[in-house]
Amino acid sequence: MEREYIRDRTLEGHEAARSRGKTIGGAAVTDDAVLSMALHLREQGLSRRDIAARLVITKGKKKGQRPSAATVLRMLREHDDTPAAAVRDDLPTSAASLT
């Protein structure tokens, strides 16, 4: 019963923080440059671990470190799940093909 009370109070605290504009969780370690590099490496057929070993975090508290394979998986999965990514991938790459 005490454990449930602590959990409820924690969730209430998170809700209050979100309503004040605070973010819950760790800082984002990926940006567009890291994502584009990960996509390029994935097109070459590299595994998540190999991709993570070649990437370097470029901002924030973990600048200069390498992301984990789980971070790479999440980043690529989020990219693949966005509807804008599907539309962007279907667009022609040259302006000549637009006319």
Side-chain angles (χ1 to χ4, degrees):
M1 188 167 103
E2 183 70 22
R3 182 177 217 113
E4 289 177 25
Y5 176 72
I6 292 170
R7 182 178 183 277
D8 290 340
R9 297 288 294 158
T10 301
L11 293 175
E12 288 174 12
H14 286 182
E15 282 294 320
R18 283 189 197 101
S19 68
R20 291 189 309 265
K22 301 286 184 181
T23 56
I24 305 298
V29 297
T30 59
D31 57 5
D32 291 336
V34 174
L35 175 61
S36 65
M37 185 63 172
L39 291 170
H40 176 72
L41 293 172
R42 182 173 68 173
E43 288 174 3
Q44 293 180 353
L46 294 174
S47 70
R48 287 189 326 252
R49 286 185 180 171
D50 292 337
I51 293 171
R54 293 182 184 204
L55 294 178
V56 176
I57 299 170
T58 58
K59 65 177 186 174
K61 186 177 180 181
K62 296 189 175 193
K63 182 177 180 178
Q65 296 180 11
R66 302 202 181 280
S68 67
T71 299
V72 171
L73 173 65
R74 186 184 70 249
M75 177 178 48
L76 294 174
R77 185 179 292 158
E78 287 173 358
H79 173 267
D80 293 342
D81 289 345
T82 57
V87 171
R88 191 172 49 244
D89 290 341
D90 291 339
L91 292 177
T93 56
S94 68
S97 62
L98 293 175
T99 58

